[in-house]
Amino acid sequence: KQEVTQIPAALSVPEGENLVLNCSFTDSAIYNLQWFRQDPGKGLTSLLLIQSSQREQTSGRLNASLDKSSGRSTLYIAASQPGDSATYLCAVRQETSGSRLTFGEGTQLTVNP
Amino acid sequence: DGGITQSPKYLFRKEGQNVTLSCEQNLNHDAMYWYRQDPGQGLRLIYYSQIVNDFQKGDIAEGYSVSREKKESFPLTVTSAQKNPTAFYLCASSIYGTGLYEQYFGPGTRLTVT
């Protein structure tokens, strides 16, 4: 059974710092990996989706990398801002699970002004 | 505006009552999903449907029921058999068939049962 782990569970940084969020998964037979952002009491917003054949995806100040063979993904946030404060979740889609996603528990990020 | 709507935003019920949460999408997506989120935890899949008139149990289906009579709608009923129904419920949708299957989420419904 696929398990997804995100470390750290919480992170507090000063504004302007570059930071990395980690996601690991136990079964490397994935189709893709998706990073989401969740603000308190809100739904999820998709940030980046990486196909299993890709190494990285970029959107603005965000860069997500994927090392499928080692079961790891990172989300890099450059020049963090207070508006980046949120919970970040990663989710993987298995090759054999159709369209289902398995989620990690998230990293709660606080960017201090 | 294309998107997913969930109603109501907050829902309060007495223990022993069934309650139905609404989810509607106008993205023309084939697949729809229901997740449950408890404080400090990730999302757990309750039910999903990849096509009209068909749905499958997720990881925590006990105490829940769904229907998929229309492509746009995927209501979730929380029955009195669900032992701990108080949670944040999220609906999502995606294309199904070929492609990335990127999931898009609604704003959620917070259910409180007392």
PDB file of all heavy atoms in Angstrom, chain B residues 74-111:
ATOM      1  N   PHE B  74     -22.410  14.950  -7.735  1.00  0.00           N
ATOM      2  CA  PHE B  74     -21.943  13.766  -7.001  1.00  0.00           C
ATOM      3  C   PHE B  74     -22.214  13.989  -5.513  1.00  0.00           C
ATOM      4  O   PHE B  74     -21.316  14.272  -4.733  1.00  0.00           O
ATOM      5  CB  PHE B  74     -20.452  13.557  -7.270  1.00  0.00           C
ATOM      6  CG  PHE B  74     -19.879  12.242  -6.794  1.00  0.00           C
ATOM      7  CD1 PHE B  74     -20.577  11.059  -6.942  1.00  0.00           C
ATOM      8  CD2 PHE B  74     -18.609  12.189  -6.241  1.00  0.00           C
ATOM      9  CE1 PHE B  74     -20.044   9.847  -6.534  1.00  0.00           C
ATOM     10  CE2 PHE B  74     -18.060  10.986  -5.831  1.00  0.00           C
ATOM     11  CZ  PHE B  74     -18.771   9.813  -5.978  1.00  0.00           C
ATOM     12  N   PRO B  75     -23.475  13.863  -5.084  1.00  0.00           N
ATOM     13  CA  PRO B  75     -23.802  14.114  -3.680  1.00  0.00           C
ATOM     14  C   PRO B  75     -23.318  12.999  -2.752  1.00  0.00           C
ATOM     15  O   PRO B  75     -23.326  11.824  -3.132  1.00  0.00           O
ATOM     16  CB  PRO B  75     -25.331  14.202  -3.692  1.00  0.00           C
ATOM     17  CG  PRO B  75     -25.747  13.419  -4.901  1.00  0.00           C
ATOM     18  CD  PRO B  75     -24.655  13.577  -5.902  1.00  0.00           C
ATOM     19  N   LEU B  76     -22.937  13.387  -1.554  1.00  0.00           N
ATOM     20  CA  LEU B  76     -22.459  12.464  -0.520  1.00  0.00           C
ATOM     21  C   LEU B  76     -23.423  12.493   0.656  1.00  0.00           C
ATOM     22  O   LEU B  76     -23.734  13.567   1.176  1.00  0.00           O
ATOM     23  CB  LEU B  76     -21.070  12.885  -0.041  1.00  0.00           C
ATOM     24  CG  LEU B  76     -20.495  12.120   1.165  1.00  0.00           C
ATOM     25  CD1 LEU B  76     -20.039  10.725   0.739  1.00  0.00           C
ATOM     26  CD2 LEU B  76     -19.312  12.878   1.785  1.00  0.00           C
ATOM     27  N   THR B  77     -23.898  11.327   1.064  1.00  0.00           N
ATOM     28  CA  THR B  77     -24.747  11.220   2.255  1.00  0.00           C
ATOM     29  C   THR B  77     -23.930  10.633   3.399  1.00  0.00           C
ATOM     30  O   THR B  77     -23.328   9.556   3.243  1.00  0.00           O
ATOM     31  CB  THR B  77     -25.989  10.363   1.992  1.00  0.00           C
ATOM     32  OG1 THR B  77     -26.788  11.010   0.995  1.00  0.00           O
ATOM     33  CG2 THR B  77     -26.822  10.203   3.261  1.00  0.00           C
ATOM     34  N   VAL B  78     -23.906  11.357   4.499  1.00  0.00           N
ATOM     35  CA  VAL B  78     -23.266  10.878   5.718  1.00  0.00           C
ATOM     36  C   VAL B  78     -24.372  10.255   6.562  1.00  0.00           C
ATOM     37  O   VAL B  78     -25.307  10.951   6.986  1.00  0.00           O
ATOM     38  CB  VAL B  78     -22.585  12.029   6.478  1.00  0.00           C
ATOM     39  CG1 VAL B  78     -21.838  11.507   7.691  1.00  0.00           C
ATOM     40  CG2 VAL B  78     -21.636  12.796   5.550  1.00  0.00           C
ATOM     41  N   THR B  79     -24.321   8.963   6.753  1.00  0.00           N
ATOM     42  CA  THR B  79     -25.409   8.284   7.447  1.00  0.00           C
ATOM     43  C   THR B  79     -25.146   8.236   8.951  1.00  0.00           C
ATOM     44  O   THR B  79     -24.026   8.506   9.422  1.00  0.00           O
ATOM     45  CB  THR B  79     -25.603   6.865   6.912  1.00  0.00           C
ATOM     46  OG1 THR B  79     -24.545   6.031   7.410  1.00  0.00           O
ATOM     47  CG2 THR B  79     -25.614   6.834   5.396  1.00  0.00           C
ATOM     48  N   SER B  80     -26.163   7.821   9.676  1.00  0.00           N
ATOM     49  CA  SER B  80     -26.038   7.725  11.136  1.00  0.00           C
ATOM     50  C   SER B  80     -25.078   6.595  11.530  1.00  0.00           C
ATOM     51  O   SER B  80     -24.656   6.518  12.681  1.00  0.00           O
ATOM     52  CB  SER B  80     -27.416   7.497  11.755  1.00  0.00           C
ATOM     53  OG  SER B  80     -28.014   6.343  11.196  1.00  0.00           O
ATOM     54  N   ALA B  81     -24.709   5.755  10.576  1.00  0.00           N
ATOM     55  CA  ALA B  81     -23.769   4.668  10.864  1.00  0.00           C
ATOM     56  C   ALA B  81     -22.322   5.134  10.924  1.00  0.00           C
ATOM     57  O   ALA B  81     -21.448   4.404  11.388  1.00  0.00           O
ATOM     58  CB  ALA B  81     -23.899   3.573   9.796  1.00  0.00           C
ATOM     59  N   GLN B  82     -22.066   6.357  10.454  1.00  0.00           N
ATOM     60  CA  GLN B  82     -20.698   6.885  10.487  1.00  0.00           C
ATOM     61  C   GLN B  82     -20.401   7.316  11.916  1.00  0.00           C
ATOM     62  O   GLN B  82     -21.040   8.222  12.455  1.00  0.00           O
ATOM     63  CB  GLN B  82     -20.565   8.054   9.514  1.00  0.00           C
ATOM     64  CG  GLN B  82     -19.308   8.893   9.634  1.00  0.00           C
ATOM     65  CD  GLN B  82     -18.011   8.106   9.672  1.00  0.00           C
ATOM     66  OE1 GLN B  82     -17.175   8.285  10.549  1.00  0.00           O
ATOM     67  NE2 GLN B  82     -17.837   7.227   8.708  1.00  0.00           N
ATOM     68  N   LYS B  83     -19.391   6.696  12.519  1.00  0.00           N
ATOM     69  CA  LYS B  83     -19.144   6.888  13.950  1.00  0.00           C
ATOM     70  C   LYS B  83     -18.613   8.264  14.312  1.00  0.00           C
ATOM     71  O   LYS B  83     -18.924   8.809  15.365  1.00  0.00           O
ATOM     72  CB  LYS B  83     -18.176   5.815  14.448  1.00  0.00           C
ATOM     73  CG  LYS B  83     -18.762   4.409  14.425  1.00  0.00           C
ATOM     74  CD  LYS B  83     -17.812   3.413  15.031  1.00  0.00           C
ATOM     75  CE  LYS B  83     -18.299   1.975  15.076  1.00  0.00           C
ATOM     76  NZ  LYS B  83     -19.527   1.655  14.419  1.00  0.00           N
ATOM     77  N   ASN B  84     -17.785   8.827  13.476  1.00  0.00           N
ATOM     78  CA  ASN B  84     -17.182  10.142  13.771  1.00  0.00           C
ATOM     79  C   ASN B  84     -17.361  11.062  12.569  1.00  0.00           C
ATOM     80  O   ASN B  84     -16.406  11.315  11.834  1.00  0.00           O
ATOM     81  CB  ASN B  84     -15.692   9.989  14.087  1.00  0.00           C
ATOM     82  CG  ASN B  84     -15.453   9.173  15.341  1.00  0.00           C
ATOM     83  OD1 ASN B  84     -15.840   9.565  16.429  1.00  0.00           O
ATOM     84  ND2 ASN B  84     -14.826   8.024  15.172  1.00  0.00           N
ATOM     85  N   PRO B  85     -18.555  11.559  12.329  1.00  0.00           N
ATOM     86  CA  PRO B  85     -18.818  12.294  11.089  1.00  0.00           C
ATOM     87  C   PRO B  85     -18.294  13.722  11.073  1.00  0.00           C
ATOM     88  O   PRO B  85     -18.185  14.306   9.998  1.00  0.00           O
ATOM     89  CB  PRO B  85     -20.344  12.287  10.992  1.00  0.00           C
ATOM     90  CG  PRO B  85     -20.799  12.178  12.412  1.00  0.00           C
ATOM     91  CD  PRO B  85     -19.773  11.331  13.114  1.00  0.00           C
ATOM     92  N   THR B  86     -17.990  14.295  12.220  1.00  0.00           N
ATOM     93  CA  THR B  86     -17.521  15.679  12.258  1.00  0.00           C
ATOM     94  C   THR B  86     -16.171  15.774  11.562  1.00  0.00           C
ATOM     95  O   THR B  86     -15.204  15.141  11.988  1.00  0.00           O
ATOM     96  CB  THR B  86     -17.420  16.174  13.705  1.00  0.00           C
ATOM     97  OG1 THR B  86     -18.723  16.224  14.276  1.00  0.00           O
ATOM     98  CG2 THR B  86     -16.783  17.558  13.766  1.00  0.00           C
ATOM     99  N   ALA B  87     -16.119  16.560  10.480  1.00  0.00           N
ATOM    100  CA  ALA B  87     -14.900  16.678   9.675  1.00  0.00           C
ATOM    101  C   ALA B  87     -15.117  17.727   8.605  1.00  0.00           C
ATOM    102  O   ALA B  87     -16.211  18.280   8.449  1.00  0.00           O
ATOM    103  CB  ALA B  87     -14.540  15.335   9.027  1.00  0.00           C
ATOM    104  N   PHE B  88     -14.067  17.971   7.851  1.00  0.00           N
ATOM    105  CA  PHE B  88     -14.108  18.859   6.686  1.00  0.00           C
ATOM    106  C   PHE B  88     -14.173  17.962   5.455  1.00  0.00           C
ATOM    107  O   PHE B  88     -13.322  17.089   5.277  1.00  0.00           O
ATOM    108  CB  PHE B  88     -12.852  19.734   6.689  1.00  0.00           C
ATOM    109  CG  PHE B  88     -12.837  20.841   5.689  1.00  0.00           C
ATOM    110  CD1 PHE B  88     -13.925  21.701   5.548  1.00  0.00           C
ATOM    111  CD2 PHE B  88     -11.731  21.049   4.873  1.00  0.00           C
ATOM    112  CE1 PHE B  88     -13.896  22.733   4.628  1.00  0.00           C
ATOM    113  CE2 PHE B  88     -11.699  22.086   3.956  1.00  0.00           C
ATOM    114  CZ  PHE B  88     -12.782  22.929   3.828  1.00  0.00           C
ATOM    115  N   TYR B  89     -15.196  18.157   4.615  1.00  0.00           N
ATOM    116  CA  TYR B  89     -15.397  17.293   3.456  1.00  0.00           C
ATOM    117  C   TYR B  89     -15.090  18.068   2.172  1.00  0.00           C
ATOM    118  O   TYR B  89     -15.619  19.162   1.948  1.00  0.00           O
ATOM    119  CB  TYR B  89     -16.836  16.772   3.431  1.00  0.00           C
ATOM    120  CG  TYR B  89     -17.101  15.785   4.535  1.00  0.00           C
ATOM    121  CD1 TYR B  89     -17.510  16.214   5.801  1.00  0.00           C
ATOM    122  CD2 TYR B  89     -16.915  14.420   4.338  1.00  0.00           C
ATOM    123  CE1 TYR B  89     -17.727  15.312   6.825  1.00  0.00           C
ATOM    124  CE2 TYR B  89     -17.132  13.508   5.355  1.00  0.00           C
ATOM    125  CZ  TYR B  89     -17.537  13.965   6.587  1.00  0.00           C
ATOM    126  OH  TYR B  89     -17.745  13.063   7.610  1.00  0.00           O
ATOM    127  N   LEU B  90     -14.281  17.448   1.338  1.00  0.00           N
ATOM    128  CA  LEU B  90     -13.840  18.083   0.093  1.00  0.00           C
ATOM    129  C   LEU B  90     -14.237  17.230  -1.100  1.00  0.00           C
ATOM    130  O   LEU B  90     -14.059  16.014  -1.111  1.00  0.00           O
ATOM    131  CB  LEU B  90     -12.320  18.261   0.100  1.00  0.00           C
ATOM    132  CG  LEU B  90     -11.810  19.348   1.040  1.00  0.00           C
ATOM    133  CD1 LEU B  90     -10.370  19.098   1.426  1.00  0.00           C
ATOM    134  CD2 LEU B  90     -11.951  20.710   0.388  1.00  0.00           C
ATOM    135  N   CYS B  91     -14.747  17.889  -2.107  1.00  0.00           N
ATOM    136  CA  CYS B  91     -15.115  17.258  -3.363  1.00  0.00           C
ATOM    137  C   CYS B  91     -14.109  17.680  -4.431  1.00  0.00           C
ATOM    138  O   CYS B  91     -13.609  18.821  -4.400  1.00  0.00           O
ATOM    139  CB  CYS B  91     -16.526  17.693  -3.753  1.00  0.00           C
ATOM    140  SG  CYS B  91     -17.124  17.045  -5.318  1.00  0.00           S
ATOM    141  N   ALA B  92     -13.796  16.794  -5.341  1.00  0.00           N
ATOM    142  CA  ALA B  92     -12.863  17.105  -6.417  1.00  0.00           C
ATOM    143  C   ALA B  92     -13.358  16.470  -7.713  1.00  0.00           C
ATOM    144  O   ALA B  92     -14.221  15.586  -7.703  1.00  0.00           O
ATOM    145  CB  ALA B  92     -11.462  16.594  -6.075  1.00  0.00           C
ATOM    146  N   SER B  93     -12.778  16.935  -8.824  1.00  0.00           N
ATOM    147  CA  SER B  93     -13.102  16.326 -10.108  1.00  0.00           C
ATOM    148  C   SER B  93     -11.867  16.305 -10.994  1.00  0.00           C
ATOM    149  O   SER B  93     -10.901  17.047 -10.755  1.00  0.00           O
ATOM    150  CB  SER B  93     -14.243  17.079 -10.800  1.00  0.00           C
ATOM    151  OG  SER B  93     -13.817  18.351 -11.245  1.00  0.00           O
ATOM    152  N   SER B  94     -11.898  15.449 -12.004  1.00  0.00           N
ATOM    153  CA  SER B  94     -10.792  15.392 -12.956  1.00  0.00           C
ATOM    154  C   SER B  94     -11.303  14.791 -14.258  1.00  0.00           C
ATOM    155  O   SER B  94     -12.358  14.157 -14.306  1.00  0.00           O
ATOM    156  CB  SER B  94      -9.633  14.542 -12.427  1.00  0.00           C
ATOM    157  OG  SER B  94      -9.950  13.164 -12.469  1.00  0.00           O
ATOM    158  N   ILE B  95     -10.531  14.983 -15.302  1.00  0.00           N
ATOM    159  CA  ILE B  95     -10.766  14.269 -16.544  1.00  0.00           C
ATOM    160  C   ILE B  95     -10.463  12.798 -16.272  1.00  0.00           C
ATOM    161  O   ILE B  95      -9.652  12.459 -15.409  1.00  0.00           O
ATOM    162  CB  ILE B  95      -9.853  14.820 -17.648  1.00  0.00           C
ATOM    163  CG1 ILE B  95     -10.267  16.258 -17.971  1.00  0.00           C
ATOM    164  CG2 ILE B  95      -9.904  13.968 -18.893  1.00  0.00           C
ATOM    165  CD1 ILE B  95      -9.276  16.975 -18.867  1.00  0.00           C
ATOM    166  N   TYR B  96     -11.103  11.909 -17.015  1.00  0.00           N
ATOM    167  CA  TYR B  96     -10.772  10.492 -16.900  1.00  0.00           C
ATOM    168  C   TYR B  96     -10.761   9.882 -18.295  1.00  0.00           C
ATOM    169  O   TYR B  96     -11.585  10.207 -19.128  1.00  0.00           O
ATOM    170  CB  TYR B  96     -11.792   9.746 -16.044  1.00  0.00           C
ATOM    171  CG  TYR B  96     -11.429   8.294 -15.853  1.00  0.00           C
ATOM    172  CD1 TYR B  96     -10.386   7.944 -15.000  1.00  0.00           C
ATOM    173  CD2 TYR B  96     -12.089   7.294 -16.548  1.00  0.00           C
ATOM    174  CE1 TYR B  96     -10.022   6.630 -14.833  1.00  0.00           C
ATOM    175  CE2 TYR B  96     -11.721   5.967 -16.384  1.00  0.00           C
ATOM    176  CZ  TYR B  96     -10.692   5.646 -15.532  1.00  0.00           C
ATOM    177  OH  TYR B  96     -10.316   4.340 -15.374  1.00  0.00           O
ATOM    178  N   GLY B  97      -9.787   8.988 -18.505  1.00  0.00           N
ATOM    179  CA  GLY B  97      -9.683   8.328 -19.808  1.00  0.00           C
ATOM    180  C   GLY B  97      -8.251   8.358 -20.277  1.00  0.00           C
ATOM    181  O   GLY B  97      -7.563   7.347 -20.257  1.00  0.00           O
ATOM    182  N   THR B  98      -7.810   9.515 -20.675  1.00  0.00           N
ATOM    183  CA  THR B  98      -6.396   9.674 -21.037  1.00  0.00           C
ATOM    184  C   THR B  98      -5.952  11.007 -20.458  1.00  0.00           C
ATOM    185  O   THR B  98      -6.773  11.884 -20.227  1.00  0.00           O
ATOM    186  CB  THR B  98      -6.172   9.700 -22.555  1.00  0.00           C
ATOM    187  OG1 THR B  98      -6.961  10.764 -23.102  1.00  0.00           O
ATOM    188  CG2 THR B  98      -6.583   8.389 -23.184  1.00  0.00           C
ATOM    189  N   GLY B  99      -4.662  11.153 -20.242  1.00  0.00           N
ATOM    190  CA  GLY B  99      -4.175  12.443 -19.786  1.00  0.00           C
ATOM    191  C   GLY B  99      -3.704  12.448 -18.355  1.00  0.00           C
ATOM    192  O   GLY B  99      -3.462  11.420 -17.747  1.00  0.00           O
ATOM    193  N   LEU B 100      -3.582  13.662 -17.828  1.00  0.00           N
ATOM    194  CA  LEU B 100      -2.903  13.863 -16.565  1.00  0.00           C
ATOM    195  C   LEU B 100      -3.773  13.545 -15.349  1.00  0.00           C
ATOM    196  O   LEU B 100      -3.266  13.297 -14.278  1.00  0.00           O
ATOM    197  CB  LEU B 100      -2.421  15.315 -16.463  1.00  0.00           C
ATOM    198  CG  LEU B 100      -1.452  15.768 -17.549  1.00  0.00           C
ATOM    199  CD1 LEU B 100      -1.118  17.234 -17.368  1.00  0.00           C
ATOM    200  CD2 LEU B 100      -0.184  14.931 -17.525  1.00  0.00           C
ATOM    201  N   TYR B 101      -5.080  13.603 -15.507  1.00  0.00           N
ATOM    202  CA  TYR B 101      -6.021  13.391 -14.406  1.00  0.00           C
ATOM    203  C   TYR B 101      -5.783  14.383 -13.276  1.00  0.00           C
ATOM    204  O   TYR B 101      -5.968  14.034 -12.111  1.00  0.00           O
ATOM    205  CB  TYR B 101      -5.907  11.980 -13.831  1.00  0.00           C
ATOM    206  CG  TYR B 101      -6.223  10.852 -14.771  1.00  0.00           C
ATOM    207  CD1 TYR B 101      -6.099   9.538 -14.351  1.00  0.00           C
ATOM    208  CD2 TYR B 101      -6.615  11.072 -16.079  1.00  0.00           C
ATOM    209  CE1 TYR B 101      -6.373   8.482 -15.192  1.00  0.00           C
ATOM    210  CE2 TYR B 101      -6.879  10.020 -16.936  1.00  0.00           C
ATOM    211  CZ  TYR B 101      -6.755   8.729 -16.480  1.00  0.00           C
ATOM    212  OH  TYR B 101      -7.010   7.677 -17.316  1.00  0.00           O
ATOM    213  N   GLU B 102      -5.379  15.600 -13.593  1.00  0.00           N
ATOM    214  CA  GLU B 102      -5.150  16.599 -12.552  1.00  0.00           C
ATOM    215  C   GLU B 102      -6.459  16.863 -11.830  1.00  0.00           C
ATOM    216  O   GLU B 102      -7.489  17.114 -12.466  1.00  0.00           O
ATOM    217  CB  GLU B 102      -4.621  17.880 -13.181  1.00  0.00           C
ATOM    218  CG  GLU B 102      -4.225  18.938 -12.178  1.00  0.00           C
ATOM    219  CD  GLU B 102      -3.495  20.106 -12.824  1.00  0.00           C
ATOM    220  OE1 GLU B 102      -3.370  20.102 -14.067  1.00  0.00           O
ATOM    221  OE2 GLU B 102      -3.063  21.007 -12.093  1.00  0.00           O
ATOM    222  N   GLN B 103      -6.422  16.811 -10.498  1.00  0.00           N
ATOM    223  CA  GLN B 103      -7.643  16.990  -9.729  1.00  0.00           C
ATOM    224  C   GLN B 103      -7.813  18.445  -9.307  1.00  0.00           C
ATOM    225  O   GLN B 103      -6.866  19.107  -8.891  1.00  0.00           O
ATOM    226  CB  GLN B 103      -7.636  16.080  -8.488  1.00  0.00           C
ATOM    227  CG  GLN B 103      -7.839  14.614  -8.844  1.00  0.00           C
ATOM    228  CD  GLN B 103      -8.159  13.725  -7.655  1.00  0.00           C
ATOM    229  OE1 GLN B 103      -8.532  14.202  -6.591  1.00  0.00           O
ATOM    230  NE2 GLN B 103      -8.026  12.433  -7.850  1.00  0.00           N
ATOM    231  N   TYR B 104      -9.070  18.900  -9.401  1.00  0.00           N
ATOM    232  CA  TYR B 104      -9.450  20.239  -8.991  1.00  0.00           C
ATOM    233  C   TYR B 104     -10.463  20.118  -7.862  1.00  0.00           C
ATOM    234  O   TYR B 104     -11.352  19.267  -7.916  1.00  0.00           O
ATOM    235  CB  TYR B 104     -10.056  21.000 -10.172  1.00  0.00           C
ATOM    236  CG  TYR B 104      -9.082  21.201 -11.292  1.00  0.00           C
ATOM    237  CD1 TYR B 104      -8.917  20.232 -12.281  1.00  0.00           C
ATOM    238  CD2 TYR B 104      -8.301  22.352 -11.363  1.00  0.00           C
ATOM    239  CE1 TYR B 104      -8.000  20.405 -13.311  1.00  0.00           C
ATOM    240  CE2 TYR B 104      -7.390  22.534 -12.394  1.00  0.00           C
ATOM    241  CZ  TYR B 104      -7.245  21.559 -13.352  1.00  0.00           C
ATOM    242  OH  TYR B 104      -6.335  21.725 -14.358  1.00  0.00           O
ATOM    243  N   PHE B 105     -10.317  21.000  -6.862  1.00  0.00           N
ATOM    244  CA  PHE B 105     -11.097  20.865  -5.644  1.00  0.00           C
ATOM    245  C   PHE B 105     -12.113  21.980  -5.463  1.00  0.00           C
ATOM    246  O   PHE B 105     -11.907  23.115  -5.899  1.00  0.00           O
ATOM    247  CB  PHE B 105     -10.156  20.852  -4.431  1.00  0.00           C
ATOM    248  CG  PHE B 105      -9.501  19.529  -4.214  1.00  0.00           C
ATOM    249  CD1 PHE B 105      -8.433  19.137  -4.999  1.00  0.00           C
ATOM    250  CD2 PHE B 105      -9.970  18.659  -3.251  1.00  0.00           C
ATOM    251  CE1 PHE B 105      -7.836  17.896  -4.826  1.00  0.00           C
ATOM    252  CE2 PHE B 105      -9.373  17.415  -3.058  1.00  0.00           C
ATOM    253  CZ  PHE B 105      -8.315  17.038  -3.856  1.00  0.00           C
ATOM    254  N   GLY B 106     -13.206  21.631  -4.778  1.00  0.00           N
ATOM    255  CA  GLY B 106     -14.172  22.611  -4.331  1.00  0.00           C
ATOM    256  C   GLY B 106     -13.736  23.256  -3.031  1.00  0.00           C
ATOM    257  O   GLY B 106     -12.708  22.886  -2.462  1.00  0.00           O
ATOM    258  N   PRO B 107     -14.535  24.202  -2.504  1.00  0.00           N
ATOM    259  CA  PRO B 107     -14.168  24.951  -1.298  1.00  0.00           C
ATOM    260  C   PRO B 107     -14.384  24.187   0.000  1.00  0.00           C
ATOM    261  O   PRO B 107     -13.943  24.632   1.054  1.00  0.00           O
ATOM    262  CB  PRO B 107     -15.068  26.180  -1.364  1.00  0.00           C
ATOM    263  CG  PRO B 107     -16.258  25.728  -2.130  1.00  0.00           C
ATOM    264  CD  PRO B 107     -15.752  24.744  -3.136  1.00  0.00           C
ATOM    265  N   GLY B 108     -15.095  23.056  -0.056  1.00  0.00           N
ATOM    266  CA  GLY B 108     -15.285  22.242   1.141  1.00  0.00           C
ATOM    267  C   GLY B 108     -16.548  22.560   1.914  1.00  0.00           C
ATOM    268  O   GLY B 108     -17.120  23.655   1.811  1.00  0.00           O
ATOM    269  N   THR B 109     -17.006  21.563   2.680  1.00  0.00           N
ATOM    270  CA  THR B 109     -18.124  21.709   3.624  1.00  0.00           C
ATOM    271  C   THR B 109     -17.647  21.216   4.987  1.00  0.00           C
ATOM    272  O   THR B 109     -17.135  20.099   5.094  1.00  0.00           O
ATOM    273  CB  THR B 109     -19.338  20.869   3.186  1.00  0.00           C
ATOM    274  OG1 THR B 109     -19.906  21.430   2.005  1.00  0.00           O
ATOM    275  CG2 THR B 109     -20.400  20.856   4.287  1.00  0.00           C
ATOM    276  N   ARG B 110     -17.814  22.062   5.983  1.00  0.00           N
ATOM    277  CA  ARG B 110     -17.446  21.659   7.343  1.00  0.00           C
ATOM    278  C   ARG B 110     -18.702  21.154   8.042  1.00  0.00           C
ATOM    279  O   ARG B 110     -19.648  21.903   8.246  1.00  0.00           O
ATOM    280  CB  ARG B 110     -16.839  22.809   8.126  1.00  0.00           C
ATOM    281  CG  ARG B 110     -16.299  22.365   9.484  1.00  0.00           C
ATOM    282  CD  ARG B 110     -15.423  23.399  10.131  1.00  0.00           C
ATOM    283  NE  ARG B 110     -14.244  23.731   9.341  1.00  0.00           N
ATOM    284  CZ  ARG B 110     -13.145  22.989   9.278  1.00  0.00           C
ATOM    285  NH1 ARG B 110     -13.060  21.859   9.972  1.00  0.00           N
ATOM    286  NH2 ARG B 110     -12.120  23.379   8.552  1.00  0.00           N
ATOM    287  N   LEU B 111     -18.698  19.874   8.387  1.00  0.00           N
ATOM    288  CA  LEU B 111     -19.835  19.230   9.033  1.00  0.00           C
ATOM    289  C   LEU B 111     -19.539  19.055  10.515  1.00  0.00           C
ATOM    290  O   LEU B 111     -18.490  18.524  10.888  1.00  0.00           O
ATOM    291  CB  LEU B 111     -20.101  17.860   8.394  1.00  0.00           C
ATOM    292  CG  LEU B 111     -21.161  16.980   9.075  1.00  0.00           C
ATOM    293  CD1 LEU B 111     -22.530  17.635   8.998  1.00  0.00           C
ATOM    294  CD2 LEU B 111     -21.189  15.587   8.442  1.00  0.00           C
TER     295      LEU B 111
END
